[in-house]
Amino acid sequence: MVSQARKSELLFSGSDWDFKKLSRVYDEIEAIGLEELRLDIYPVQMEVISSEQMLDAYSSVGMPLMYRHWSFGKRFLYDELLYRKGARGLAYELVINSNPCIVYLMEENTMALQALVTAHAALGHNHFFKNNHLFRQWTDAGGILSYLDFAKSYIARCEERHGLAAVEAILDSAHALMEQGVFRYHRPPKLSSEQQREGLRERLEYEERSFNDLWRTLPPSQGKSKPETGDDNLVERKKSLNLPEENLLYFLEKNSLVLEPWQREIVRIVRVIAQYFYPQRQTQVMNEGCATFVHYTLMNTLFDRGRISEGAMLEILRNHSNVVFQPVYDDPRFSGINPYALGLDMMQDIQRISTAPTAEDRDWFPDIAGRGDWRDTLLDAWANHRDESFIRQYLSPTLIRKWRLFVLADGADEPHYEVASIHNERGYAKIRSALAQSYDIGASRPDIQVVDVDLLGDRHLRLQHTVKDGVMLEGESRDATLRHIRNLWGYDVSLAAIDGGTGALVSERWTKEL
């Protein structure tokens, strides 16, 4: 039994919640997070939604405002079917990288669970979104909601003016290229301000009223390019078009000879949304690890101070354990490394190294071992690393042994795997490097770039895929994507596979062959 005095100190009792309790719990965890963990967060806007609204948010890639597209409806029906059959649960919360930070809470959650997910999303994810250098460089949290509102209304007007089928065709092709529609190596322009966006609307409307056939006056295609007069012409042409270009959507938006102004703007909308999600693909372990570490620390602090009961803490720990559960490799539930589990373990390990290091820790981490203030180390890591660099710098031999990690060498010509790195001094470094490399999306994503096009000749668009370790693109998916590129470009497109090591031509595929 909880004493009456102790009960009066509790933030809540029982499983029922109301908005007064939610506000009281948020104020308490925010104070602890800001003062003791030194978190820096955006203002928070919390909304309580139903399971159907959560499914709807799933289908529109987690965004509160989104234009219409058939793929979102397909995703909704698929997730709803699994949810109704009990084959898949729903997230307890959803958080939007925006300013203010929007946090969706499920109305079916108990009060203890609402406290847990509030700490996880409103404090943990919120701090990471605001402070990590990738999100600061590549996203505009203050402008994304107004931009999505513009995108939704603009595409709706295009559907009214040009028809659903015409808009859907452009969206289908643009969506197919979203993985190749981001800038990876230089900073993109910021989202337009409200005034710029209003000017954009006026400019597009004017262009559509007085659209001239500038591109159509170019000489018709003769099936072959004009012969080059020398390497200087090729170099000059590539320089004028800023080739090679890694962002296919950007190149098509700026240089396609067949897209009308409204179609270019739709391609740009899809490109901006693809860029918005680019940092999230690089920081899943860090982002979820940060949020899990924050909620675990805050909930334990509340319990230690007598602000939540034993029963509530048991429920919180049960849900926390479900989140960080890591099946072993031969478990039917195994689907890879759980980012929540790896991220939390690494951050708690940094805490241990900072406060109670071993001799091994002092050898591997001389800069942080025994410093005592683990908060500074974590705040610096959350701000300045992505998954690949975080693992490469902070994965310790202690964790490698705990997770029983090792490296398998898989030679294409060998009938068996070989255990290449084990738990010794040299093996730890190789294991850490191999795991870090697996989180480098630059190494795992296909490297496809626009390398040449002759706008005054046959307008043939030449793409190049740099093949790494002999891994080719899957044929059916490659051909379907080339057809989408041709739809946006309007003329022949070819994709040459070039061996990354030797520079030799491996294969070439043309859209006219499809």
Side-chain angles (χ1 to χ4, degrees):
M1 297 288 291
V2 179
S3 68
Q4 190 63 35
R6 173 72 187 276
K7 191 173 182 179
S8 65
E9 298 173 357
L10 298 178
L11 289 170
F12 58 88
S13 60
S15 60
D16 293 337
W17 61 268
D18 56 40
F19 290 102
K20 185 177 180 180
K21 290 181 182 178
L22 287 178
S23 178
R24 185 165 63 245
V25 167
Y26 174 77
D27 290 342
E28 187 87 7
I29 65 172
E30 182 189 47
I32 298 172
L34 299 185
E35 294 171 10
E36 299 195 11
L37 293 181
R38 302 203 289 270
L39 301 180
D40 176 25
I41 61 174
Y42 292 123
V44 177
Q45 176 181 328
M46 291 195 291
E47 301 185 12
V48 180
I49 62 176
S50 66
S51 58
E52 184 165 332
Q53 289 172 314
M54 182 64 81
L55 284 165
D56 190 50
Y58 274 16
S59 66
S60 58
V61 292
M63 303 307 294
L65 294 167
M66 204 62 176
Y67 52 81
R68 296 186 301 178
H69 189 250
W70 62 266
S71 63
F72 302 146
K74 177 183 177 181
R75 173 73 185 273
F76 178 88
L77 293 174
Y78 176 74
D79 288 336
E80 183 186 38
L81 177 64
L82 293 179
Y83 176 64
R84 301 303 176 197
K85 286 187 173 183
R88 178 184 296 176
L90 294 180
Y92 302 129
E93 49 75 27
L94 195 64
V95 59
I96 309 299
N97 171 27
S98 60
N99 184 11
C101 181
I102 300 176
V103 178
Y104 293 129
L105 304 177
M106 285 271 286
E107 63 181 3
E108 291 89 346
N109 294 346
T110 64
M111 187 59 228
L113 188 51
Q114 299 289 37
L116 173 68
V117 299
T118 297
H120 183 91
L123 275 293
H125 281 309
N126 191 349
H127 172 87
F128 195 85
F129 286 147
K130 185 177 182 182
N131 294 277
N132 182 263
H133 78 285
L134 285 173
F135 288 90
R136 292 169 65 89
Q137 177 181 3
W138 297 106
T139 65
D140 179 9
I144 187 61
L145 294 179
S146 61
Y147 186 81
L148 289 174
D149 181 51
F150 154 73
K152 181 177 181 179
S153 60
Y154 181 81
I155 290 179
R157 292 199 305 272
C158 288
E159 290 173 341
E160 293 175 359
R161 183 174 302 179
H162 305 287
L164 289 173
V167 173
E168 187 174 278
I170 295 297
L171 284 174
D172 286 350
S173 296
H175 280 196
L177 299 175
M178 287 184 80
E179 284 290 326
Q180 302 297 325
V182 296
F183 294 105
R184 293 180 174 86
Y185 303 110
H186 60 89
R187 187 186 182 102
K190 287 283 188 182
L191 297 184
S192 304
S193 66
E194 287 295 333
Q195 294 80 7
Q196 288 173 317
R197 212 150 30 241
E198 186 59 36
L200 171 66
R201 294 189 187 100
E202 295 175 357
R203 176 176 60 79
L204 289 171
E205 290 172 0
Y206 171 78
E207 287 179 343
E208 289 175 0
R209 287 195 302 268
S210 59
F211 181 69
N212 62 72
D213 287 332
L214 171 64
W215 297 114
R216 304 178 199 277
T217 62
L218 292 173
S221 172
Q222 302 297 322
K224 295 184 179 180
S225 293
K226 294 171 65 177
E228 296 289 349
T229 58
D231 291 340
D232 290 344
N233 284 6
L234 178 61
V235 171
E236 186 63 30
R237 186 168 72 217
K238 289 187 176 184
K239 182 179 179 181
S240 67
L241 292 172
N242 295 315
L243 298 179
E245 174 58 63
E246 59 173 345
N247 191 328
L248 300 189
L249 284 180
Y250 177 80
F251 182 86
L252 293 168
E253 171 202 339
K254 299 300 182 183
N255 298 287
S256 174
L257 309 179
V258 299
L259 293 180
E260 297 185 17
W262 66 270
Q263 294 171 317
R264 295 182 195 278
E265 186 60 27
I266 289 178
V267 172
R268 182 177 187 273
I269 287 171
V270 175
R271 176 175 64 80
V272 168
I273 293 174
Q275 193 71 58
Y276 171 84
F277 286 107
Y278 175 61
Q280 300 191 27
R281 297 201 299 269
Q282 298 188 79
T283 56
Q284 189 175 13
V285 170
M286 290 199 67
N287 200 345
E288 297 299 352
C290 171
T292 306
F293 179 88
V294 167
H295 85 229
Y296 185 77
T297 304
L298 293 179
M299 292 299 102
N300 275 280
T301 302
L302 288 177
F303 178 71
D304 292 341
R305 295 181 179 180
R307 304 296 281 163
I308 55 179
S309 66
E310 289 88 346
M313 192 62 190
L314 284 173
E315 181 183 347
I316 287 170
L317 289 175
R318 178 177 63 84
N319 285 292
H320 169 81
S321 299
N322 290 338
V323 167
V324 299
F325 173 63
Q326 175 63 62
V328 295
Y329 77 96
D330 57 351
D331 190 302
R333 296 166 292 182
F334 179 80
S335 59
I337 292 178
N338 181 350
Y340 295 81
L342 180 60
L344 175 64
D345 271 3
M346 289 188 64
M347 290 165 196
Q348 288 182 330
D349 199 46
I350 290 173
Q351 190 178 29
R352 177 193 63 79
I353 294 170
S354 298
T355 56
T358 64
E360 180 183 56
D361 295 327
R362 294 185 185 278
D363 289 339
W364 280 77
F365 306 101
D367 293 336
I368 66 172
R371 282 182 51 188
D373 193 356
W374 48 268
R375 295 168 182 82
D376 280 344
T377 303
L378 284 177
L379 290 172
D380 177 74
W382 292 339
N384 297 308
H385 287 278
R386 55 179 180 154
D387 289 347
E388 180 266 337
S389 62
F390 180 64
I391 293 170
R392 196 177 296 278
Q393 180 158 331
Y394 290 109
L395 183 66
S396 70
T398 300
L399 270 189
I400 291 174
R401 290 191 296 268
K402 176 184 176 181
W403 279 68
R404 300 178 181 179
L405 300 174
F406 55 90
V407 173
L408 286 177
D410 179 17
D413 300 327
E414 299 295 330
H416 305 289
Y417 293 108
E418 177 188 352
V419 178
S421 299
I422 58 173
H423 295 172
N424 55 30
E425 190 73 17
R426 182 178 299 178
Y428 291 136
K430 290 185 176 180
I431 291 169
R432 182 164 71 175
S433 178
L435 183 62
Q437 187 72 7
S438 70
Y439 285 94
D440 183 359
I441 65 171
S444 60
R445 293 289 195 278
D447 179 9
I448 301 174
Q449 301 187 22
V450 179
V451 293
D452 190 23
V453 61
D454 184 0
L455 295 178
L456 298 180
D458 60 4
R459 304 158 201 169
H460 167 208
L461 181 65
R462 291 176 170 83
L463 309 178
Q464 178 177 300
H465 169 223
T466 302
V467 179
K468 302 173 184 176
D469 299 324
V471 179
M472 301 290 291
L473 300 175
E474 193 275 323
E476 184 176 348
S477 175
R478 174 203 61 202
D479 292 346
T481 303
L482 284 175
R483 285 193 289 268
H484 282 297
I485 297 173
R486 194 194 189 288
N487 182 44
L488 296 177
W489 179 246
Y491 299 93
D492 282 333
V493 179
S494 66
L495 176 64
I498 303 297
D499 186 273
T502 65
L505 178 65
V506 179
S507 67
E508 188 170 18
R509 190 71 167 165
W510 285 58
T511 50
K512 63 185 179 183
E513 300 171 349
L514 303 180

